Amino acid sequence: VQTGGFAAEYGNAMSGVVNIITRDGSETHDGTVELSGIMFKPSSNPFDRQETDLDFITDFSLGGPLFKADKFRYYVSADFRAPYTRWKREEFGQKTRIFNERDSYNLNTNAKLTWLATKQFRVSLQGLMSFWDWREYDHKWKKHLDGLPRRTKDSYRLSLTAVHTLSPRTFYEFRLSQY
């Protein structure tokens, strides 16, 4: 993380720059899948005997060699949240959903293909996608929540990166990205 003044390479960044290095596929195939859920009462009244809702959280990743020659490796990952709402609270030991947002969601995906040309030179092609769909709570609409407008945000990023390692402590990198 860098803050303060920035070099010209960061363009119009005004407050901070975060450089995240994503994972590459390994020499063997491996992956993970995680499914979880959180129970919520649909009413803010903890004594109301209504059915409970379940928030789903799903994460998965998969990576490894693409061909037997082991020069190409892949890595894909995704996480999915549904319904996606921040309007939750806990009262009397019960988790409750204030703003019942059944059809909202958040999906984030990452796919990366790496070519190991030599031990010192690698090229990676990566795509990141993020999809959000939700309604923002407005107290003026508390009696007509279905009238609130839907909001969406879709983000796409494609990047090509080449890294040449000159020594264990020296390398240079070429990066071309479109967001």
Side-chain angles (χ1 to χ4, degrees):
V1 176
Q2 295 183 0
T3 60
F6 299 104
E9 68 181 297
Y10 295 112
N12 292 326
M14 299 303 256
S15 16
V17 174
V18 178
N19 185 20
I20 299 173
I21 299 171
T22 56
R23 188 173 163 191
D24 279 324
S26 62
E27 295 175 358
T28 61
H29 293 283
D30 62 346
T32 62
V33 175
E34 182 179 329
L35 304 170
S36 57
I38 303 171
M39 298 292 282
F40 286 93
K41 290 181 60 112
S43 170
S44 61
N45 179 356
F47 303 107
D48 193 1
R49 299 211 180 260
Q50 296 184 21
E51 291 182 24
T52 57
D53 282 336
L54 183 64
D55 277 9
F56 292 102
I57 302 169
T58 306
D59 296 301
F60 98 92
S61 66
L62 184 64
L66 194 57
F67 304 111
K68 291 183 181 182
D70 198 32
K71 290 285 187 181
F72 289 92
R73 295 186 183 168
Y74 72 96
Y75 182 77
V76 291
S77 65
D79 66 82
F80 181 73
R81 312 280 189 262
Y84 183 80
T85 181
R86 62 187 178 131
W87 301 102
K88 303 169 187 168
R89 72 172 176 221
E90 188 167 340
E91 281 185 351
F92 306 105
Q94 295 289 325
K95 292 183 182 344
T96 58
R97 185 178 289 134
I98 306 307
F99 183 42
N100 196 9
E101 196 50 53
R102 293 182 191 272
D103 57 347
S104 63
Y105 66 90
N106 169 232
L107 171 66
N108 300 299
T109 61
N110 171 36
K112 188 174 187 181
L113 177 63
T114 303
W115 173 45
L116 306 170
T118 66
K119 287 186 178 185
Q120 292 80 25
F121 187 74
R122 71 174 51 213
V123 178
S124 296
L125 178 64
Q126 180 179 29
L128 302 169
M129 295 183 294
S130 181
F131 306 103
W132 299 70
D133 187 84
W134 78 99
R135 290 185 184 171
E136 190 68 39
Y137 179 76
D138 184 344
H139 192 67
K140 293 181 279 187
W141 288 78
K142 68 181 179 180
K143 298 200 183 277
H144 304 287
L145 295 176
D146 289 338
L148 289 169
R150 298 214 63 75
R151 297 174 186 244
T152 61
K153 180 181 178 185
D154 297 344
S155 303
Y156 306 91
R157 180 177 180 262
L158 185 63
S159 69
L160 178 67
T161 306
V163 179
H164 184 205
T165 305
L166 301 173
S167 72
R169 296 179 60 178
T170 308
F171 71 93
Y172 64 91
E173 180 176 81
F174 172 77
R175 210 182 291 179
L176 182 63
S177 298
Q178 174 65 39
Y179 185 73

